[in-house]
Amino acid sequence: MATFLTLPVELIADVLSELDLDSLITISYLSRRLHDIVSDPSLNPWRKPILRSLRSGQEGESSGSLKHLSVRRIVPRHNWIEILSLASPSFILLDATLPNLSSEEWEECFNRRFLPGWRKWHKDGSWKATYLEVLHRVYHRSRTSCTTDESWTKYIVLNRNGTANELEGSSRNFNPLAIFNEMKLQNNLMHLETRIRLVVQLADVRIIALGTLNRPRSTLTVNPNAHTFLHPPGIDDLQTLRNNRVVTDHGVYPLGPDTADYPGVSPPSIDFSKMTHPLPASSHHDYPWYTPGGGDKRWLGSGEVEEEGLKWVGGLMIIAQIVTPKTLELGGDWPPLQDLDLVVGPGRNQYASLVWNDLWAIAPWMEERITNKIDGPGLGI
């Protein structure tokens, strides 16, 4: 121990960060030097064990160290921004002892956890009150069929002509498959199978896209914005220059670099830094880059075509589905995390509104590619 304590503080902090929370708490009281190191916000050996606990999905099943971490003065307060951004609603509302954060910190927690469109719930109260109120709504809706708080559910459709519509349907009877089948009927695409992709999962919702794939005879029915939404423009070229790719059974996907600096490569108008507001779940933590692990199934193909050489045709419907305790259970006898498994089965019938600001947060590269934003049905002016 004496030799260990003579090492540089940065190295000691790195070693301590590999411990679990219980062990880190215990060792922090063994000496004054260790106590000072674990208390230093700039070193912060708490972040890694906290993230490991959150990503395991067992926050409330541990010894209670994470539940009552806020009462320990040796834990830097900014760690709670990450906990409040990623932990399950039940853990935060029913188990955790909440910290005393500033109004700015509570607002940051809100922005990291929820879609930008959910800021509409912030009225005159504090950001802490707004955060807890919205989290209560999510917790309630994830366990019931109640739609009292949101009578109409909004969604976005990317049209093949470059425009996009923000539409809405009754929350009580909201069925994305039925709505999309009606879209296919109107566009003479009923003979094509509905393809469904999980775009990104957040702490409380996951963004899902419904579209159709075909091998068209001409480009008239091709929807370039559907492809661009799922394949950020230039991301393959950027990664080719860095020779940093991952090969899976489904194809070759770009892996994001550790920094967001792409001098001389990325167009200034396109930002491929990892999304932080809102913060993706661990299954998509590298979004918009590919996240290894099996949860990221946006790209079942590469380049300009999808699997089997098909292209997206017709409209692409984008929705926000509320994550429930049963969401990750298999919905039926089909491949997991794609197509019908995403919308059919237990825990897949509650949806939240998705508006323009949410789309820009999830896919900022789309803002300059949509030629006309239309509120409601129609072709626009």
Tab-separated table of all heavy atoms in Angstrom, residues 195-197 209 211-216 222-232 236 250-253 297-313 316 338-339:
chain	number	residue	atom	x	y	z
A	195	ARG	N	-40.536	-2.145	-43.636
A	195	ARG	CA	-39.245	-2.331	-42.967
A	195	ARG	C	-39.144	-1.317	-41.831
A	195	ARG	O	-39.435	-0.125	-42.020
A	195	ARG	CB	-38.088	-2.146	-43.954
A	195	ARG	CG	-38.170	-3.026	-45.188
A	195	ARG	CD	-38.112	-4.502	-44.859
A	195	ARG	NE	-38.112	-5.320	-46.069
A	195	ARG	CZ	-37.035	-5.878	-46.590
A	195	ARG	NH1	-35.857	-5.704	-46.010
A	195	ARG	NH2	-37.122	-6.598	-47.692
A	196	ILE	N	-38.697	-1.777	-40.672
A	196	ILE	CA	-38.658	-0.925	-39.486
A	196	ILE	C	-37.256	-0.964	-38.903
A	196	ILE	O	-36.664	-2.033	-38.743
A	196	ILE	CB	-39.688	-1.390	-38.433
A	196	ILE	CG1	-41.065	-1.540	-39.090
A	196	ILE	CG2	-39.759	-0.407	-37.273
A	196	ILE	CD1	-42.117	-2.153	-38.188
A	197	ARG	N	-36.728	0.217	-38.571
A	197	ARG	CA	-35.372	0.320	-38.050
A	197	ARG	C	-35.365	1.092	-36.729
A	197	ARG	O	-36.044	2.118	-36.586
A	197	ARG	CB	-34.456	1.036	-39.049
A	197	ARG	CG	-34.264	0.299	-40.365
A	197	ARG	CD	-33.435	-0.952	-40.185
A	197	ARG	NE	-33.277	-1.686	-41.439
A	197	ARG	CZ	-34.052	-2.689	-41.816
A	197	ARG	NH1	-35.042	-3.083	-41.015
A	197	ARG	NH2	-33.844	-3.305	-42.959
A	209	ALA	N	-37.953	4.202	-37.208
A	209	ALA	CA	-38.307	4.626	-38.562
A	209	ALA	C	-38.980	3.477	-39.299
A	209	ALA	O	-38.523	2.333	-39.237
A	209	ALA	CB	-37.070	5.083	-39.322
A	211	GLY	N	-40.363	2.322	-43.117
A	211	GLY	CA	-40.244	2.631	-44.537
A	211	GLY	C	-40.405	1.382	-45.382
A	211	GLY	O	-40.761	0.307	-44.899
A	212	THR	N	-40.138	1.517	-46.679
A	212	THR	CA	-40.212	0.394	-47.609
A	212	THR	C	-38.960	0.362	-48.461
A	212	THR	O	-38.433	1.411	-48.856
A	212	THR	CB	-41.451	0.500	-48.514
A	212	THR	OG1	-41.515	1.824	-49.085
A	212	THR	CG2	-42.723	0.219	-47.749
A	213	LEU	N	-38.497	-0.852	-48.737
A	213	LEU	CA	-37.327	-1.065	-49.579
A	213	LEU	C	-37.754	-1.746	-50.868
A	213	LEU	O	-38.624	-2.607	-50.874
A	213	LEU	CB	-36.296	-1.934	-48.852
A	213	LEU	CG	-35.530	-1.282	-47.707
A	213	LEU	CD1	-34.801	-2.334	-46.888
A	213	LEU	CD2	-34.547	-0.240	-48.223
A	214	ASN	N	-37.099	-1.338	-51.968
A	214	ASN	CA	-37.439	-1.918	-53.262
A	214	ASN	C	-36.240	-1.777	-54.193
A	214	ASN	O	-35.278	-1.060	-53.898
A	214	ASN	CB	-38.670	-1.206	-53.859
A	214	ASN	CG	-39.299	-1.978	-54.998
A	214	ASN	OD1	-39.015	-3.166	-55.186
A	214	ASN	ND2	-40.141	-1.311	-55.769
A	215	ARG	N	-36.327	-2.452	-55.329
A	215	ARG	CA	-35.327	-2.296	-56.378
A	215	ARG	C	-36.016	-1.563	-57.528
A	215	ARG	O	-36.502	-2.181	-58.477
A	215	ARG	CB	-34.793	-3.666	-56.812
A	215	ARG	CG	-33.576	-3.608	-57.706
A	215	ARG	CD	-33.001	-4.989	-57.967
A	215	ARG	NE	-32.295	-5.533	-56.818
A	215	ARG	CZ	-32.769	-6.502	-56.029
A	215	ARG	NH1	-33.969	-7.007	-56.250
A	215	ARG	NH2	-32.056	-6.961	-55.014
A	216	PRO	N	-36.096	-0.219	-57.449
A	216	PRO	CA	-36.916	0.544	-58.401
A	216	PRO	C	-36.313	0.566	-59.808
A	216	PRO	O	-35.095	0.496	-59.980
A	216	PRO	CB	-36.950	1.947	-57.791
A	216	PRO	CG	-35.666	2.041	-57.020
A	216	PRO	CD	-35.418	0.657	-56.478
A	222	VAL	N	-37.491	6.763	-55.432
A	222	VAL	CA	-36.436	6.663	-54.422
A	222	VAL	C	-36.506	7.850	-53.464
A	222	VAL	O	-36.718	8.996	-53.887
A	222	VAL	CB	-35.043	6.588	-55.088
A	222	VAL	CG1	-33.939	6.630	-54.035
A	222	VAL	CG2	-34.931	5.317	-55.920
A	223	ASN	N	-36.337	7.583	-52.175
A	223	ASN	CA	-36.350	8.631	-51.152
A	223	ASN	C	-34.929	8.843	-50.632
A	223	ASN	O	-34.496	8.141	-49.712
A	223	ASN	CB	-37.287	8.230	-49.998
A	223	ASN	CG	-37.510	9.362	-49.011
A	223	ASN	OD1	-36.716	10.292	-48.931
A	223	ASN	ND2	-38.580	9.267	-48.236
A	224	PRO	N	-34.191	9.798	-51.191
A	224	PRO	CA	-32.807	9.999	-50.748
A	224	PRO	C	-32.697	10.453	-49.298
A	224	PRO	O	-31.732	10.131	-48.612
A	224	PRO	CB	-32.277	11.075	-51.708
A	224	PRO	CG	-33.499	11.755	-52.232
A	224	PRO	CD	-34.571	10.727	-52.265
A	225	ASN	N	-33.710	11.194	-48.803
A	225	ASN	CA	-33.655	11.660	-47.415
A	225	ASN	C	-33.855	10.521	-46.420
A	225	ASN	O	-33.366	10.591	-45.291
A	225	ASN	CB	-34.696	12.754	-47.179
A	225	ASN	CG	-34.181	14.126	-47.574
A	225	ASN	OD1	-32.996	14.284	-47.858
A	225	ASN	ND2	-35.055	15.115	-47.611
A	226	ALA	N	-34.568	9.476	-46.813
A	226	ALA	CA	-34.715	8.304	-45.943
A	226	ALA	C	-33.362	7.640	-45.745
A	226	ALA	O	-32.982	7.264	-44.631
A	226	ALA	CB	-35.713	7.326	-46.547
A	227	HIS	N	-32.626	7.498	-46.840
A	227	HIS	CA	-31.279	6.913	-46.757
A	227	HIS	C	-30.352	7.824	-45.955
A	227	HIS	O	-29.575	7.351	-45.110
A	227	HIS	CB	-30.718	6.704	-48.158
A	227	HIS	CG	-29.321	6.194	-48.177
A	227	HIS	ND1	-29.001	4.863	-48.027
A	227	HIS	CD2	-28.133	6.841	-48.300
A	227	HIS	CE1	-27.690	4.701	-48.074
A	227	HIS	NE2	-27.145	5.895	-48.244
A	228	THR	N	-30.454	9.138	-46.181
A	228	THR	CA	-29.585	10.089	-45.494
A	228	THR	C	-29.857	10.116	-43.996
A	228	THR	O	-28.940	10.256	-43.194
A	228	THR	CB	-29.778	11.504	-46.079
A	228	THR	OG1	-29.453	11.482	-47.467
A	228	THR	CG2	-28.885	12.524	-45.374
A	229	PHE	N	-31.119	9.969	-43.612
A	229	PHE	CA	-31.477	9.954	-42.193
A	229	PHE	C	-30.823	8.779	-41.467
A	229	PHE	O	-30.308	8.923	-40.353
A	229	PHE	CB	-32.998	9.894	-42.039
A	229	PHE	CG	-33.473	9.774	-40.617
A	229	PHE	CD1	-33.278	10.809	-39.709
A	229	PHE	CD2	-34.119	8.626	-40.175
A	229	PHE	CE1	-33.705	10.703	-38.386
A	229	PHE	CE2	-34.557	8.510	-38.870
A	229	PHE	CZ	-34.356	9.549	-37.977
A	230	LEU	N	-30.833	7.605	-42.099
A	230	LEU	CA	-30.260	6.415	-41.484
A	230	LEU	C	-28.756	6.304	-41.704
A	230	LEU	O	-28.056	5.700	-40.896
A	230	LEU	CB	-30.960	5.161	-42.035
A	230	LEU	CG	-32.448	5.051	-41.711
A	230	LEU	CD1	-33.084	3.901	-42.484
A	230	LEU	CD2	-32.665	4.867	-40.216
A	231	HIS	N	-28.264	6.885	-42.803
A	231	HIS	CA	-26.829	6.879	-43.123
A	231	HIS	C	-26.358	8.327	-43.183
A	231	HIS	O	-26.450	8.958	-44.230
A	231	HIS	CB	-26.568	6.215	-44.476
A	231	HIS	CG	-26.884	4.760	-44.530
A	231	HIS	ND1	-25.926	3.792	-44.573
A	231	HIS	CD2	-28.077	4.107	-44.547
A	231	HIS	CE1	-26.504	2.598	-44.625
A	231	HIS	NE2	-27.803	2.767	-44.596
A	232	PRO	N	-25.860	8.902	-42.083
A	232	PRO	CA	-25.395	10.297	-42.111
A	232	PRO	C	-24.453	10.526	-43.281
A	232	PRO	O	-23.543	9.734	-43.513
A	232	PRO	CB	-24.677	10.451	-40.767
A	232	PRO	CG	-25.355	9.453	-39.882
A	232	PRO	CD	-25.684	8.287	-40.764
A	236	ASP	N	-19.344	7.401	-43.973
A	236	ASP	CA	-18.540	6.287	-44.476
A	236	ASP	C	-17.206	6.786	-45.024
A	236	ASP	O	-16.163	6.184	-44.805
A	236	ASP	CB	-19.292	5.529	-45.566
A	236	ASP	CG	-20.457	4.724	-44.992
A	236	ASP	OD1	-20.314	4.230	-43.870
A	236	ASP	OD2	-21.487	4.601	-45.666
A	250	HIS	N	-23.668	-8.513	-40.644
A	250	HIS	CA	-24.580	-7.739	-41.486
A	250	HIS	C	-23.844	-6.785	-42.431
A	250	HIS	O	-24.439	-6.282	-43.364
A	250	HIS	CB	-25.542	-6.919	-40.613
A	250	HIS	CG	-26.401	-7.769	-39.742
A	250	HIS	ND1	-27.358	-8.608	-40.234
A	250	HIS	CD2	-26.418	-7.919	-38.385
A	250	HIS	CE1	-27.964	-9.238	-39.239
A	250	HIS	NE2	-27.414	-8.833	-38.111
A	251	GLY	N	-22.595	-6.501	-42.188
A	251	GLY	CA	-21.887	-5.580	-43.054
A	251	GLY	C	-20.721	-4.927	-42.354
A	251	GLY	O	-20.275	-5.370	-41.294
A	252	VAL	N	-20.223	-3.843	-42.968
A	252	VAL	CA	-19.085	-3.107	-42.438
A	252	VAL	C	-19.562	-1.729	-42.032
A	252	VAL	O	-20.145	-0.998	-42.833
A	252	VAL	CB	-17.965	-2.991	-43.498
A	252	VAL	CG1	-16.759	-2.278	-42.912
A	252	VAL	CG2	-17.565	-4.375	-44.003
A	253	TYR	N	-19.325	-1.349	-40.780
A	253	TYR	CA	-19.874	-0.106	-40.259
A	253	TYR	C	-18.780	0.797	-39.722
A	253	TYR	O	-17.781	0.317	-39.184
A	253	TYR	CB	-20.877	-0.394	-39.126
A	253	TYR	CG	-21.922	-1.401	-39.510
A	253	TYR	CD1	-22.069	-2.582	-38.793
A	253	TYR	CD2	-22.748	-1.164	-40.595
A	253	TYR	CE1	-23.034	-3.511	-39.158
A	253	TYR	CE2	-23.712	-2.077	-40.955
A	253	TYR	CZ	-23.856	-3.248	-40.237
A	253	TYR	OH	-24.806	-4.157	-40.590
A	297	LYS	N	-28.768	-1.442	-35.095
A	297	LYS	CA	-29.056	-2.140	-36.350
A	297	LYS	C	-29.584	-1.194	-37.418
A	297	LYS	O	-30.426	-1.557	-38.246
A	297	LYS	CB	-30.070	-3.268	-36.109
A	297	LYS	CG	-29.495	-4.458	-35.355
A	297	LYS	CD	-30.444	-5.635	-35.416
A	297	LYS	CE	-29.809	-6.870	-34.820
A	297	LYS	NZ	-30.700	-8.052	-34.922
A	298	ARG	N	-29.074	0.037	-37.421
A	298	ARG	CA	-29.504	0.972	-38.463
A	298	ARG	C	-29.034	0.530	-39.833
A	298	ARG	O	-29.731	0.693	-40.831
A	298	ARG	CB	-28.926	2.366	-38.193
A	298	ARG	CG	-29.566	3.139	-37.070
A	298	ARG	CD	-28.783	4.407	-36.801
A	298	ARG	NE	-27.466	4.119	-36.250
A	298	ARG	CZ	-26.443	4.956	-36.284
A	298	ARG	NH1	-26.577	6.129	-36.871
A	298	ARG	NH2	-25.287	4.625	-35.726
A	299	TRP	N	-27.822	0.002	-39.908
A	299	TRP	CA	-27.151	-0.214	-41.186
A	299	TRP	C	-27.069	-1.696	-41.510
A	299	TRP	O	-26.107	-2.367	-41.187
A	299	TRP	CB	-25.756	0.410	-41.151
A	299	TRP	CG	-25.793	1.869	-40.874
A	299	TRP	CD1	-26.796	2.733	-41.174
A	299	TRP	CD2	-24.794	2.648	-40.213
A	299	TRP	NE1	-26.487	4.003	-40.753
A	299	TRP	CE2	-25.262	3.970	-40.154
A	299	TRP	CE3	-23.539	2.347	-39.671
A	299	TRP	CZ2	-24.526	5.005	-39.583
A	299	TRP	CZ3	-22.817	3.371	-39.101
A	299	TRP	CH2	-23.294	4.686	-39.059
A	300	LEU	N	-28.103	-2.230	-42.169
A	300	LEU	CA	-28.069	-3.598	-42.646
A	300	LEU	C	-27.609	-3.600	-44.098
A	300	LEU	O	-28.139	-4.281	-44.967
A	300	LEU	CB	-29.455	-4.242	-42.524
A	300	LEU	CG	-30.020	-4.273	-41.101
A	300	LEU	CD1	-31.386	-4.934	-41.078
A	300	LEU	CD2	-29.065	-5.003	-40.167
A	301	GLY	N	-26.618	-2.801	-44.369
A	301	GLY	CA	-26.052	-2.632	-45.692
A	301	GLY	C	-25.077	-1.484	-45.643
A	301	GLY	O	-24.847	-0.895	-44.598
A	302	SER	N	-24.449	-1.147	-46.749
A	302	SER	CA	-23.484	-0.057	-46.758
A	302	SER	C	-23.576	0.698	-48.072
A	302	SER	O	-24.178	0.225	-49.042
A	302	SER	CB	-22.058	-0.597	-46.550
A	302	SER	OG	-21.726	-1.512	-47.570
A	303	GLY	N	-22.969	1.869	-48.122
A	303	GLY	CA	-22.998	2.672	-49.338
A	303	GLY	C	-24.390	3.220	-49.605
A	303	GLY	O	-25.142	3.539	-48.691
A	304	GLU	N	-24.760	3.311	-50.878
A	304	GLU	CA	-26.029	3.908	-51.271
A	304	GLU	C	-27.186	2.920	-51.247
A	304	GLU	O	-28.334	3.288	-51.474
A	304	GLU	CB	-25.902	4.504	-52.687
A	304	GLU	CG	-24.995	5.725	-52.749
A	304	GLU	CD	-25.477	6.853	-51.853
A	304	GLU	OE1	-26.694	7.126	-51.846
A	304	GLU	OE2	-24.643	7.445	-51.158
A	305	VAL	N	-26.912	1.643	-51.021
A	305	VAL	CA	-27.982	0.641	-51.044
A	305	VAL	C	-28.088	-0.045	-49.695
A	305	VAL	O	-27.164	-0.043	-48.896
A	305	VAL	CB	-27.731	-0.412	-52.142
A	305	VAL	CG1	-27.805	0.223	-53.517
A	305	VAL	CG2	-26.379	-1.086	-51.945
A	306	GLU	N	-29.254	-0.630	-49.446
A	306	GLU	CA	-29.473	-1.378	-48.216
A	306	GLU	C	-29.240	-2.865	-48.491
A	306	GLU	O	-28.650	-3.235	-49.504
A	306	GLU	CB	-30.895	-1.116	-47.710
A	306	GLU	CG	-31.179	0.334	-47.384
A	306	GLU	CD	-30.373	0.864	-46.217
A	306	GLU	OE1	-30.039	0.076	-45.319
A	306	GLU	OE2	-30.079	2.061	-46.191
A	307	GLU	N	-29.737	-3.717	-47.615
A	307	GLU	CA	-29.502	-5.148	-47.788
A	307	GLU	C	-30.086	-5.630	-49.109
A	307	GLU	O	-31.111	-5.161	-49.575
A	307	GLU	CB	-30.094	-5.933	-46.613
A	307	GLU	CG	-31.590	-5.828	-46.480
A	307	GLU	CD	-32.036	-4.720	-45.550
A	307	GLU	OE1	-31.384	-3.660	-45.526
A	307	GLU	OE2	-33.034	-4.902	-44.862
A	308	GLU	N	-29.382	-6.573	-49.732
A	308	GLU	CA	-29.780	-7.200	-50.987
A	308	GLU	C	-29.895	-6.185	-52.126
A	308	GLU	O	-30.627	-6.400	-53.104
A	308	GLU	CB	-31.105	-7.954	-50.820
A	308	GLU	CG	-31.059	-9.040	-49.759
A	308	GLU	CD	-32.414	-9.673	-49.511
A	308	GLU	OE1	-33.384	-9.269	-50.195
A	308	GLU	OE2	-32.509	-10.556	-48.646
A	309	GLY	N	-29.176	-5.070	-52.019
A	309	GLY	CA	-29.169	-4.098	-53.104
A	309	GLY	C	-30.430	-3.277	-53.244
A	309	GLY	O	-30.668	-2.671	-54.299
A	310	LEU	N	-31.256	-3.210	-52.187
A	310	LEU	CA	-32.513	-2.464	-52.248
A	310	LEU	C	-32.311	-1.011	-51.820
A	310	LEU	O	-31.342	-0.674	-51.147
A	310	LEU	CB	-33.558	-3.131	-51.353
A	310	LEU	CG	-33.844	-4.610	-51.635
A	310	LEU	CD1	-34.847	-5.156	-50.632
A	310	LEU	CD2	-34.347	-4.792	-53.052
A	311	LYS	N	-33.259	-0.166	-52.210
A	311	LYS	CA	-33.222	1.251	-51.844
A	311	LYS	C	-34.534	1.647	-51.175
A	311	LYS	O	-35.590	1.052	-51.422
A	311	LYS	CB	-32.990	2.118	-53.090
A	311	LYS	CG	-31.612	1.950	-53.708
A	311	LYS	CD	-31.381	2.978	-54.785
A	311	LYS	CE	-29.957	2.878	-55.352
A	311	LYS	NZ	-29.699	3.927	-56.347
A	312	TRP	N	-34.447	2.685	-50.332
A	312	TRP	CA	-35.654	3.193	-49.679
A	312	TRP	C	-36.522	3.921	-50.696
A	312	TRP	O	-36.043	4.793	-51.433
A	312	TRP	CB	-35.278	4.147	-48.548
A	312	TRP	CG	-34.598	3.469	-47.402
A	312	TRP	CD1	-33.269	3.477	-47.125
A	312	TRP	CD2	-35.207	2.665	-46.381
A	312	TRP	NE1	-33.000	2.728	-46.002
A	312	TRP	CE2	-34.169	2.218	-45.514
A	312	TRP	CE3	-36.515	2.274	-46.108
A	312	TRP	CZ2	-34.411	1.412	-44.418
A	312	TRP	CZ3	-36.763	1.470	-45.010
A	312	TRP	CH2	-35.719	1.043	-44.186
A	313	VAL	N	-37.790	3.567	-50.731
A	313	VAL	CA	-38.736	4.216	-51.650
A	313	VAL	C	-39.944	4.679	-50.849
A	313	VAL	O	-40.243	4.155	-49.772
A	313	VAL	CB	-39.188	3.249	-52.774
A	313	VAL	CG1	-38.006	2.851	-53.644
A	313	VAL	CG2	-39.855	2.003	-52.193
A	316	LEU	N	-40.839	7.941	-45.353
A	316	LEU	CA	-40.247	7.327	-44.159
A	316	LEU	C	-40.905	7.958	-42.937
A	316	LEU	O	-40.838	9.172	-42.742
A	316	LEU	CB	-38.734	7.546	-44.115
A	316	LEU	CG	-38.002	6.800	-42.994
A	316	LEU	CD1	-37.812	5.323	-43.376
A	316	LEU	CD2	-36.637	7.428	-42.709
A	338	GLN	N	-35.371	-5.295	-34.957
A	338	GLN	CA	-35.613	-4.806	-36.303
A	338	GLN	C	-36.988	-5.259	-36.765
A	338	GLN	O	-37.558	-6.223	-36.249
A	338	GLN	CB	-34.543	-5.293	-37.286
A	338	GLN	CG	-34.564	-6.779	-37.563
A	338	GLN	CD	-33.418	-7.225	-38.446
A	338	GLN	OE1	-32.275	-7.284	-38.005
A	338	GLN	NE2	-33.719	-7.546	-39.693
A	339	ASP	N	-37.531	-4.519	-37.726
A	339	ASP	CA	-38.829	-4.820	-38.317
A	339	ASP	C	-39.916	-5.001	-37.257
A	339	ASP	O	-39.982	-4.232	-36.310
A	339	ASP	CB	-38.701	-6.025	-39.243
A	339	ASP	CG	-37.768	-5.708	-40.434
A	339	ASP	OD1	-37.751	-4.544	-40.846
A	339	ASP	OD2	-37.072	-6.608	-40.902
